[in-house]
């Protein structure tokens, strides 16, 4: 194991070229490296076994295994996949999606006691997390519970959640993204009486829509992140798959449907809207039903987020169709990356046929049957118990979640992921409700957090990345140059470094030896701003409510392209935080002590260390 580590470190250094060396002496650098290397000191625990005192209503085996799937015409694709075998409970508990690489749909009832036996049939460690479920820390799929090939991990918990769409996916530290990308993910629905009473469209009228993007080679095999650049901004495919299928079409009758939408991409953000301008009627989000439907021109959907959509095809003619598209928007990626993806800047390398923020179809609904009757949209859907700021344990001192983006490091609160590295502000008293503030911490180095968050004053002084981020400013570190060298195997050596700056480096890399002179000037904005991008921040455990969003004036024009697409009237467990944006949330930490993670659900970022633990005690 230690051999492997030092190998990967050497490889990493070689890949990233001399540009990175410039960082080596800086405070925080080694710690950041550690986070990325897996030197995080995670203990290896004996896998949890079935407890004789737990009497499950539902029990199933869940296998993680390698398989092949028919995705594109022609050759089968090598994937990793969940499969389930029901051992006890209602047979509706497990529903396969025929022909898909996605895991089966899991249907649970609130109040059920559930035992899941996770079998690792992969050739690598894994663990499964029940994203959205409120379960004990030891059942949450924290990376410290990974099991080796051949091992079995037993989960036992009671379903405490209200009705909603949740996700199950792997969570091994540093390989979550890869495993999800390879196919390990599925939707988990909780049902309850409040939902049942509404008699919403169900059965064939309730359709899961899991949206993912993938990149294939000529042999129909999946291609994953090839460069540090792919990891820094997230990995983006150029094919949209829905439920595991390209060019997804559903045949519908002219009546109302319930679409259960999940963004299962590792990084891609969607702006969902109907192609004929019909507004999107939203009845639920991550944490279940809204109180009342919301009608939106479009809805933003970041990785990990869910949407419950009322799609009414009533009155539409047989033969007509409605396409759900991702509509144009800007500002979620660093400007430079956005331009490169669109093929500008001579950016062959990072050009993508489906740039983030461009206009492209997600799926098509074809009306194939005319019917005269349809259920009506209930005006009142549910009751949510809202908390006020005065209910929180810390109304004047929000728990900080500071996003920092920087060279080779995506951090939260200035620190990469490390096991047992709990800071004071990450200790949370059980059975409290906490006010939290998510903000961009780059830009001012260590002191920045102070002004935007009272609580962060405590840790401002010891923020190891302060120096690191600060260095980016006007320094011209040649970060991207460094990355690019990796792609081209050292070509261009260290010229990119000196004073040339990030974009110099980039340009240099893309065009071989052509240097980046004259680009240094563009560097003026500083690294922090250059790298500024949107992050879907996810917190494990109970869902939270969004109290406020505020955007800095210089981001307003990009923000206007997405701002009508956020929904604050429901419970959430992922919130998309745009560049320059500050979001306040209220989150309960009830019932369970232990480690509950918070991280970016851009899974490439998560794997780079943009992840931390709260210790609930
Ligand atoms: Cu869906 Cu910790 O993640
Ligand atoms: Cu989660
Ligand atoms: Cu992120």
């Amino acid at each position: 194991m230690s051999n492997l580590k030092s190998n990967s470190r050497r490889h990493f250094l070689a890949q990233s070229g001399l540009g990175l060396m410039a960082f080596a002496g800086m405070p925080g650098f080694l710690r950041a490296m550690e986070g990325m290397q897996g030197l995080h000191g995670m203990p290896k625990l004996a896998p949890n076994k079935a407890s004789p005192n737990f009497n499950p209503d539902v029990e199933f085996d869940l296998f993680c295994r390698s398989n092949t799937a028919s995705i594109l015409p022609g050759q089968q694709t090598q994937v990793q996949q969940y499969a389930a075998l029901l051992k006890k409970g209602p047979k509706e508990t497990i529903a396969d999606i025929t022909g898909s690489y996605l895991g089966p749909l899991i249907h649970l009832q609130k109040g059920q006691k559930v035992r899941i036996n996770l079998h690792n049939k992969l050739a690598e460690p894994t663990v499964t997390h029940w994203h959205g479920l409120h379960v004990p820390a030891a059942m949450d799929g924290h990376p410290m519970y990974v099991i080796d090939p051949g091992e079995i991990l037993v989960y036992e918990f009671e379903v405490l959640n209200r009705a909603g769409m949740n996700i199950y996916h792997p969570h091994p530290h540093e390989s979550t993204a890869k495993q999800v990308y390879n196919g390990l993910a599925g939707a988990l629905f909780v049902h309850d009486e409040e939902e049942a009473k509404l008699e919403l469209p169900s059965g064939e009228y309730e359709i899961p829509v899991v949206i993912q993007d993938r990149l294939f080679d000529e042999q129909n095999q999946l291609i994953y992140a090839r460069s540090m650049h792919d990891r820094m901004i997230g990995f983006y495919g150029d094919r949209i798959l829905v439920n595991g299928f390209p060019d997804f079409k559903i045949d519908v009758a002219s009546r109302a449907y319930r679409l259960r939408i999940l963004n299962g991409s590792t990084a891609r953000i969607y702006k969902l809207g109907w192609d004929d301008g019909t507004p999107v009627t939203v009845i639920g989000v991550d944490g279940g039903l809204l109180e009342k439907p919301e009608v939106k021109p479009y809805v933003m959907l970041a990785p990990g987020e869910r949407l419950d959509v009322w799609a009414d095809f009533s009155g539409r003619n047989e033969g007509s169709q409605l396409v759900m598209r991702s509509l144009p928007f800007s500002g979620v990626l660093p400007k430079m990356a956005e331009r490169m993806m669109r093929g500008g800047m001579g950016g062959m390398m990072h050009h993508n046929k489906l740039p983030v923020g461009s206009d492209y179809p997600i799926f098509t609904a074809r009306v194939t049957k005319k019917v005269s009757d349809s259920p009506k949209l209930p005006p009142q859907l549910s009751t949510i118990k809202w908390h006020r700021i005065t209910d929180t344990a810390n109304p004047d001192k929000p728990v900080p979640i500071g996003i920092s983006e920087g060279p080779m490091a995506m951090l939260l609160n200035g620190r990469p992921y490390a096991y047992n590295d709990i800071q004071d502000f990450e200790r949370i008293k059980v059975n409290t409700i906490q006010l939290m503030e998510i903000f961009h911490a780059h830009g001012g180095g260590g002191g920045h957090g102070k002004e935007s968050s009272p609580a962060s004053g405590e840790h401002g002084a010891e923020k190891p990345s302060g120096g690191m981020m600060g260095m980016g400013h006007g320094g011209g570190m040649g970060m991207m140059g460094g990355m690019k060298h990796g792609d081209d195997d050292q070509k261009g050596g260290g010229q990119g470094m000196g004073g040339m700056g990030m974009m110099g480096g980039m340009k240099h890399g893309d065009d071989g030896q052509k240097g980046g002179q004259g680009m240094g000037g563009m560097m003026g904005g500083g690294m922090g701003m250059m790298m500024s991008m949107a992050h879907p921040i996810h917190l494990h455990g109970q869902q939270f409510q969004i109290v406020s969003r505020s955007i800095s004036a210089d981001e307003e024009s990009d923000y206007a392209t997405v701002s009508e697409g956020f929904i604050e009237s429901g419970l959430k467990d992922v919130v998309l935080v745009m560049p320059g944006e500050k979001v306040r949330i209220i989150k309960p930490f009830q019932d369970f002590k232990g480690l509950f993670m918070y991280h970016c659900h851009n899974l490439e970022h998560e794997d780079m260390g943009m992840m931390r633990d709260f210790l609930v005690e």
Side-chain angles (χ1 to χ4, degrees):
M1 206 56 206
S2 67
N3 202 351
L4 210 125
K5 277 175 197 158
S6 63
N7 266 338
S8 71
R9 165 166 286 201
R10 225 176 300 127
H11 180 66
F12 176 73
L13 287 175
Q15 263 204 345
S16 41
L18 287 174
L20 193 53
M21 291 310 207
F23 292 106
M26 293 178 202
F29 174 78
L30 286 175
R31 197 191 297 264
M33 289 291 295
E34 277 171 27
M36 298 170 67
Q37 300 290 313
L39 305 174
H40 38 71
M42 205 99 70
K44 169 71 179 118
L45 305 170
N48 184 53
K49 295 218 176 4
S51 117
N53 307 322
F54 185 87
N55 197 349
D57 305 305
V58 171
E59 178 171 358
F60 58 90
D61 289 333
L62 189 63
F63 302 91
C64 300
R65 53 168 196 197
S66 294
N67 203 357
T68 55
S70 271
I71 304 175
L72 302 177
Q75 213 163 315
Q76 298 239 311
T77 305
Q78 212 64 49
V79 295
Q80 293 177 321
Q81 184 180 42
Y82 281 113
L85 192 66
L86 187 66
K87 297 176 94 173
K88 184 178 180 193
K91 64 175 190 317
E92 305 76 49
T93 304
I94 306 289
D96 287 314
I97 306 176
T98 313
S100 175
Y101 63 78
L102 277 184
L105 307 172
I106 298 175
H107 291 276
L108 301 175
Q109 298 289 331
K110 182 175 181 173
Q112 274 176 338
K113 288 190 171 158
V114 183
R115 177 183 287 144
I116 303 166
N117 310 300
L118 182 74
H119 295 247
N120 183 0
K121 303 274 182 199
L122 305 171
E124 59 194 288
T126 195
V127 65
T128 296
H129 165 58
W130 320 102
H131 176 137
L133 293 191
H134 176 42
V135 296
M139 300 296 150
D140 192 46
H142 187 284
M144 72 190 279
Y145 297 105
V146 289
I147 51 170
D148 287 326
E151 289 189 318
I152 301 172
L153 174 62
V154 180
Y155 296 87
E156 292 169 333
F157 55 82
E158 183 182 334
V159 179
L160 299 174
N161 283 58
R162 67 201 294 258
M165 183 187 203
N166 300 281
I167 320 167
Y168 61 103
H169 67 73
H171 220 300
H173 188 35
E174 298 172 330
S175 36
T176 294
K178 184 83 194 281
Q179 291 187 5
V180 169
Y181 185 78
N182 284 336
L184 289 167
L188 187 160
F189 297 91
V190 174
H191 305 280
D192 66 8
E193 275 169 24
E194 187 180 45
E195 177 195 45
K197 270 195 287 196
L198 294 171
E199 295 184 347
L200 296 170
S202 64
E204 61 176 304
Y205 306 114
E206 182 180 11
I207 301 175
V209 177
V210 180
I211 309 171
Q212 298 179 304
D213 59 332
R214 294 292 184 265
L215 185 64
F216 295 90
D217 69 13
E218 252 118 67
Q219 281 72 49
N220 287 352
Q221 301 310 305
L222 290 169
I223 301 172
Y224 188 55
R226 295 146 302 178
S227 66
M228 186 52 77
H229 181 269
D230 284 346
R231 289 164 48 92
M232 291 295 290
I233 66 161
F235 180 73
Y236 300 92
D238 64 3
R239 291 293 298 239
I240 299 300
L241 306 180
V242 171
N243 298 344
F245 307 106
D247 309 314
F248 190 70
K249 293 189 174 57
I250 43 177
D251 289 348
V252 299
S254 60
R255 52 159 283 157
Y257 281 73
R258 187 179 181 193
L259 305 179
R260 312 297 300 268
I261 307 177
L262 155 65
N263 182 347
S265 299
T266 64
R268 186 177 286 269
I269 295 168
Y270 304 94
K271 174 178 174 175
L272 300 177
W274 296 112
D275 67 335
D276 69 348
T278 301
V280 184
T281 302
V282 179
I283 60 172
V285 289
D286 309 352
L289 292 167
L290 307 179
E291 293 190 307
K292 294 182 172 57
E294 279 218 45
V295 178
K296 293 277 187 182
Y298 58 84
V299 189
M300 299 305 296
L301 196 69
E305 286 188 305
R306 289 88 77 197
L307 272 182
D308 203 338
V309 167
W310 179 272
D312 195 349
F313 305 103
S314 297
R316 291 186 185 264
N317 291 327
E318 204 174 315
S320 64
Q321 61 177 41
L322 197 58
V323 179
M324 179 155 276
R325 302 185 69 85
S326 188
L327 303 171
F329 61 96
S330 55
V332 306
L333 291 181
K335 275 286 160 259
M336 195 54 48
E338 202 166 69
R339 251 169 273 161
M340 286 199 305
M341 192 179 268
R342 289 171 193 268
M345 302 285 305
M348 291 291 290
M349 177 58 201
H350 300 293
H351 176 77
N352 186 302
K353 277 188 277 173
L354 216 61
V356 175
S358 62
D359 185 2
Y360 52 87
I362 306 288
F363 69 88
T364 301
R366 295 184 296 207
V367 180
T368 54
K369 198 160 94 191
K370 190 90 182 158
V371 296
S372 51
D373 212 26
S374 172
K376 295 278 163 295
L377 176 63
Q380 177 74 34
L381 296 162
S382 76
T383 312
I384 296 175
K385 189 178 172 296
W386 299 108
H387 301 292
R388 289 157 308 174
I389 293 190
T390 50
D391 299 332
T392 64
N394 57 336
D396 308 313
K397 201 171 171 259
V399 175
I401 300 181
I403 296 168
S404 44
E405 305 129 321
M408 320 307 293
M410 289 285 173
L411 310 173
L412 288 177
N413 288 324
R415 306 174 84 87
Y417 186 74
Y419 177 73
N420 210 2
D421 181 39
I422 311 294
Q423 305 300 295
D424 277 350
F425 57 88
E426 291 170 324
R427 294 176 181 275
I428 308 269
K429 228 171 158 192
V430 70
N431 293 327
T432 59
I433 298 167
Q434 300 283 329
L435 179 64
M436 313 186 112
E437 183 170 87
I438 313 170
F439 57 97
H440 290 262
H442 63 65
H448 174 272
K450 278 180 194 146
E451 68 187 66
S452 32
S453 161
S456 60
E458 288 171 9
H459 64 284
E462 46 163 332
K463 208 188 253 179
S465 75
M468 204 164 154
M469 296 304 135
M471 285 312 287
H473 289 258
M477 303 307 305
M479 166 188 74
M480 302 286 248
M483 287 181 202
K484 189 56 181 92
H485 296 316
D487 297 331
D488 282 359
D489 226 299
Q490 310 293 12
K491 201 202 293 167
Q495 297 139 284
M497 299 316 115
M500 217 140 58
M502 172 168 105
M503 298 192 304
M506 257 188 220
K507 185 71 173 88
H508 170 75
D510 287 334
D511 293 353
Q513 304 297 335
K514 212 197 285 165
Q517 306 88 319
M519 315 245 347
M522 291 172 70
M523 193 51 203
M527 188 70 76
M529 198 191 84
M530 294 298 307
M531 283 306 297
S532 192
M533 62 180 287
H535 301 268
I537 300 297
H538 168 54
L539 285 78
H540 285 210
Q542 280 163 295
Q543 272 109 9
F544 52 80
Q545 60 193 71
I546 295 171
V547 184
S548 63
R549 289 174 173 271
S550 50
I551 186 78
S552 75
D554 49 334
E555 302 284 354
E556 272 169 3
S557 64
D558 282 330
Y559 196 69
T561 69
V562 300
S563 60
E564 283 179 79
F566 300 124
I567 294 165
E568 271 99 58
S569 61
L571 296 174
K572 298 281 296 166
D573 55 49
V574 180
V575 59
L576 181 61
V577 182
M578 294 291 290
E581 193 172 32
K582 187 161 82 179
V583 180
R584 285 194 160 202
I585 63 172
I586 292 179
K587 177 174 157 66
F589 289 83
Q590 284 151 345
D591 308 321
F592 305 124
K593 295 182 179 179
L595 295 178
F596 289 91
M597 312 198 94
Y598 64 106
H599 60 84
C600 184
H601 220 280
N602 175 316
L603 297 181
E604 282 77 31
H605 289 177
E606 173 184 341
D607 282 347
M608 286 183 79
M610 198 171 212
M611 174 165 85
R612 299 283 304 166
D613 287 314
F614 288 119
L615 175 60
V616 183
E617 52 188 2

